[in-house]
Amino acid sequence: MVFLLSALTITTLFLCAAAQNVTILKQTLSAKGVTAVYQGDANYSTVSRAYNRRFTFSPVAVAFPTTVSQVSAAVAAGTAQNYEVVARSGGHSYIANCLGGNNGALVVDLSQLKAVTVRPSNNTALIETGNRLGDVALALNANGRALPHGTSPYVGIGGHSAYGGFGFTSRAWGLTLDTVTSATVVLANGTIASASAIVNPDLYWAIRGASPSFGIVTSIEVQTFPAPPSVTVFSYNWNDLSISAASTTITAFQTFAASNIPPEFGAELIFGQGSSSGKLSVQLLGGYYGAANLFSGVIAPYLNAAGMPKPSSQVVTPGSYINSVTYFAEGQSLNTSTASDGSDNFYTKSLMTPSGSPMSAAAVTAFVTYMANQGFSSTTEWFVEVELYGGSNSAINAVPLNSTAFGKRDTLFTIQFYASAPSGATTYPATGFTFLDGMVSSILNNSPANWNYGAYLNYIDDMLANATTLYYGSQYARLVALKATLDPSDTFRLPVGVA
Ligand SMILES: Cc1cc2nc3c(=O)[nH]c(=O)nc-3n(C[C@H](O)[C@H](O)[C@H](O)COP(=O)(O)OP(=O)(O)OC[C@H]3O[C@@H](n4cnc5c(N)ncnc54)[C@H](O)[C@@H]3O)c2cc1C
Ligand SMILES: *[C@@H]1O[C@H](CO)[C@@H](O)[C@H](O)[C@H]1NC(C)=O
Ligand SMILES: *[C@@H]1O[C@H](CO)[C@@H](O)[C@H](O)[C@H]1NC(C)=O
Ligand SMILES: *[C@@H]1O[C@H](CO)[C@@H](O)[C@H](O)[C@H]1NC(C)=O
Ligand SMILES: *[C@@H]1O[C@H](CO)[C@@H](O)[C@H](O)[C@H]1NC(C)=O
Ligand SMILES: *[C@@H]1O[C@H](CO)[C@@H](O)[C@H](O)[C@H]1NC(C)=O
Ligand SMILES: *[C@@H]1O[C@H](CO)[C@@H](O)[C@H](O)[C@H]1NC(C)=O
Ligand SMILES: *[C@@H]1O[C@H](CO)[C@@H](O)[C@H](O)[C@H]1NC(C)=O
């Protein structure tokens, strides 16, 4: 009885403290003119919904600052009361880290910060982090400029440039984060800091690979590239390949990548379910950013490699740069203000293969066999992308490892494993996890014990063993040291972050 009473008292005290904290938060944000939606408000369920429906989190509030000083006020208010604070740019985090990845976080939604300014004098652009990739591509293209980035128009530039940013121009131009020349960052104590090679160089280093753990980047200045005068988009499709033929599409891709391929060639292999067990559909999708008449000579050694099957169909279309961006958007509008994005219920993993130690024939065969057999019986809707980061002449790997916090500069392939719940399912099936885990193991179990592989933070997975090593690699010790000075109270304490 005594015990019950005191437990009740403690619970009551705790709830009172929490309620008082929310009251103080409301007062503080409202005094600074920051609009926010709280639990119980009409819009709360809409503004706290995750892109990945596998996750539901209840933030204490979602704030919508309209200026950098309002971002600062929101972060300071969160830190003062020991709330976890997170930024939300496009909201596409695979594990809903933009909602905190936990309950009770203060979400700072950046969607009101949408300026893009192109400066012809030095070919930089100043991009506020509430922008999405499609809108950035349109704004730059209107000035004849472009940036390396992924294919989905709705992905936010904030998260994308925080952890990487791979697209088919990346072998020529690097990752999105490699183009960042300076940034404005709100630190945990509310300080609005500049970060560049000259000002706060440690912060500049940390935000290019790990910014979510260090602050809220409100804008990035990027070095842009001339939009290429011609881009050839290509898609080669193979229906119902045998395990042997599908294995050849990977082993030949590895051999081709090591030959003297030009940086203007960007591509990925995409695998999907075949029409019977033991079969796979395979697609080679990509862009060639050089002169159109040279493309057939570039791709020929791959298509004609020993054992390569003949494509069932193909699309090879030269056009403008912005048409290539539209093509890869697969029907979504580049202008994201006119329609809203969908959502999905899914589990994702990734694996970055080291350039110096490509996948063995045994690993490729085991992986393809798994996709062809277990992939046929799986009830999930799945795909696998084998993205070409490296190979000869890759700008991604030309960046010195320690010049940014990005952990992997020796990658040949980044493989994304993606499985969605069957359509109509309300919860994610347990077999979806074991299916993808087994797929990754099929490669690892047939690779050297000391294989120096990694994983990609933009395909973030909160169930990854050894996540720290696989994501941050040798950068982690320096990141931890910087975290202690830049965010001593661990305001930005999201899952899979720097702790
Ligand atoms: C449909 C789809 C297609 C994709 N295609 C590609 C692709 O082609 N290439 C590729 O590389 N990746 C791709 N991705 C992965 C994508 O890059 C990541 O999901 C990315 O982190 C999403 O960024 P966001 O701003 O939309 O997400 P958010 O969820 O808003 O942010 C992701 C993380 O970054 C943090 N963050 C966001 N903004 C800031 C900021 N301003 N300052 C500090 N931290 C911030 C958030 O707190 C969160 O932890 C794709 C994802 C999806 C869903
Ligand atoms: C809340 O919803 C109303 C009505 O749909 C809308 O006008 C308003 O802009 C929304 N506010 C926020 C912060 O989303
Ligand atoms: C509420 O505020 C107190 C200090 O006033 C702090 O110790 C506590 O961590 C806060 N609770 C939450 C949930 O943030
Ligand atoms: C580019 O020019 C703008 C203004 O024209 C200036 O503010 C910025 O500092 C310059 N950036 C670099 C990297 O030179
Ligand atoms: C998107 O469309 C809206 C409405 O037509 C327009 O105001 C905006 O400028 C467009 N954005 C871009 C980046 O082109
Ligand atoms: C990167 O820096 C680490 C120390 O943090 C050092 O051990 C390593 O040798 C450096 N690597 C390269 C490639 O410069
Ligand atoms: C984690 O990494 C350590 C070395 O860094 C290794 O000994 C261990 O086997 C790894 N564990 C898993 C599950 O990969
Ligand atoms: C805020 O934090 C930064 C980074 O640790 C520090 O340099 C600065 O002095 C702090 N500002 C205040 C007002 O405490």
Side-chain angles (χ1 to χ4, degrees):
M1 194 58 189
V2 173
F3 168 77
L4 275 179
L5 264 180
S6 57
L8 252 179
T9 311
I10 289 164
T11 308
T12 310
L13 280 173
F14 177 78
L15 289 174
C16 287
Q20 198 175 35
N21 289 5
V22 178
T23 305
I24 295 169
L25 182 68
K26 279 186 185 170
Q27 286 166 351
T28 313
L29 294 185
S30 134
K32 301 281 184 184
V34 183
T35 304
V37 176
Y38 298 85
Q39 292 182 23
D41 288 353
N43 293 1
Y44 181 78
S45 66
T46 309
V47 302
S48 61
R49 196 169 290 151
Y51 174 79
N52 186 351
R53 300 190 302 273
R54 189 160 66 82
F55 295 92
T56 48
F57 295 120
S58 301
V60 63
V62 179
F64 293 87
T66 56
T67 63
V68 176
S69 64
Q70 285 194 355
V71 174
S72 161
V75 172
T79 298
Q81 296 199 89
N82 195 32
Y83 283 113
E84 177 194 349
V85 180
V86 279
R88 180 165 68 188
S89 174
H92 280 58
S93 169
Y94 284 179
I95 59 170
N97 268 357
C98 53
L99 293 171
N102 292 296
N103 289 323
L106 171 58
V107 175
V108 179
D109 181 290
L110 299 164
S111 59
Q112 305 302 305
L113 300 178
K114 279 207 191 303
V116 179
T117 314
V118 181
R119 292 107 152 230
S121 62
N122 55 18
N123 289 324
T124 64
L126 194 61
I127 304 174
E128 286 192 314
T129 48
N131 281 289
R132 312 227 182 188
L133 301 183
D135 302 296
V136 170
L138 286 171
L140 296 186
N141 186 66
N143 293 274
R145 309 300 298 179
L147 207 61
H149 56 71
T151 53
S152 172
Y154 284 86
V155 164
I157 193 79
H160 201 58
S161 64
Y163 281 147
F166 169 83
F168 296 128
T169 53
S170 289
R171 292 188 73 264
W173 300 342
L175 301 169
T176 309
L177 62 78
D178 294 323
T179 68
V180 175
T181 49
S182 67
T184 300
V185 189
V186 174
L187 302 177
N189 62 11
T191 296
I192 300 169
S194 295
S196 72
I198 300 180
V199 185
N200 294 316
D202 282 340
L203 179 62
Y204 176 58
W205 178 81
I207 58 161
R208 290 171 301 149
S211 66
S213 296
F214 288 89
I216 296 186
V217 177
T218 56
S219 64
I220 52 177
E221 181 197 56
V222 294
Q223 188 65 50
T224 66
F225 296 83
S230 166
V231 179
T232 302
V233 297
F234 54 89
S235 169
Y236 295 89
N237 305 282
W238 292 269
N239 301 334
D240 279 340
L241 287 188
S242 67
I243 287 168
S244 153
S247 298
T248 302
T249 66
I250 300 180
T251 52
F253 200 36
Q254 290 190 145
T255 308
F256 174 65
S259 69
N260 192 29
I261 56 171
E264 294 82 10
F265 175 85
E268 67 191 13
L269 283 168
I270 306 172
F271 294 84
Q273 206 173 46
S275 68
S276 61
S277 186
K279 302 285 186 188
L280 282 175
S281 78
V282 183
Q283 179 187 19
L284 178 75
L285 177 71
Y288 177 67
Y289 298 87
N293 62 326
L294 298 180
F295 175 65
S296 61
V298 170
I299 194 71
Y302 177 62
L303 296 177
N304 299 332
M308 273 295 285
K310 283 267 164 297
S312 317
S313 65
Q314 65 188 59
V315 172
V316 178
T317 311
S320 69
Y321 173 74
I322 201 67
N323 281 349
S324 75
V325 181
T326 301
Y327 179 79
F328 297 129
E330 296 183 330
Q332 285 192 309
S333 162
L334 297 186
N335 186 324
T336 67
S337 71
T338 49
S340 64
D341 195 10
S343 65
D344 194 7
N345 183 349
F346 63 103
Y347 176 50
T348 314
K349 306 192 80 66
S350 67
L351 195 160
M352 302 175 92
T353 75
S355 294
S357 178
M359 282 189 283
S360 65
V364 170
T365 302
F367 172 39
V368 170
T369 302
Y370 189 98
M371 287 193 285
N373 293 336
Q374 276 86 341
F376 184 72
S377 48
S378 173
T379 60
T380 64
E381 293 174 9
W382 64 272
F383 65 82
V384 169
E385 285 175 1
V386 178
E387 302 162 347
L388 184 62
Y389 270 49
S392 47
N393 303 305
S394 170
I396 300 173
N397 292 342
V399 176
L401 172 67
N402 288 343
S403 72
T404 74
F406 187 75
K408 292 280 160 186
R409 293 294 181 179
D410 61 349
T411 297
L412 176 59
F413 295 151
T414 294
I415 308 178
Q416 174 170 216
F417 312 85
Y418 189 111
S420 303
S423 65
T426 45
T427 56
Y428 193 79
T431 53
F433 297 112
T434 52
F435 169 55
L436 276 201
D437 293 348
M439 198 185 283
V440 176
S441 297
S442 72
I443 298 174
L444 295 179
N445 291 346
N446 289 283
S447 297
N450 62 348
W451 204 38
N452 184 28
Y453 69 99
Y456 178 39
L457 273 167
N458 264 337
Y459 302 155
I460 195 165
D461 166 18
D462 59 352
M463 294 165 78
L464 181 65
N466 271 2
T468 295
T469 305
L470 295 177
Y471 284 128
Y472 299 97
S474 60
Q475 313 294 27
Y476 198 65
R478 184 174 170 192
L479 287 168
V480 169
L482 288 174
K483 177 81 172 171
T485 58
L486 293 168
D487 183 16
S489 54
D490 202 11
T491 291
F492 303 108
R493 54 180 176 270
L494 70 183
V496 204
V498 176

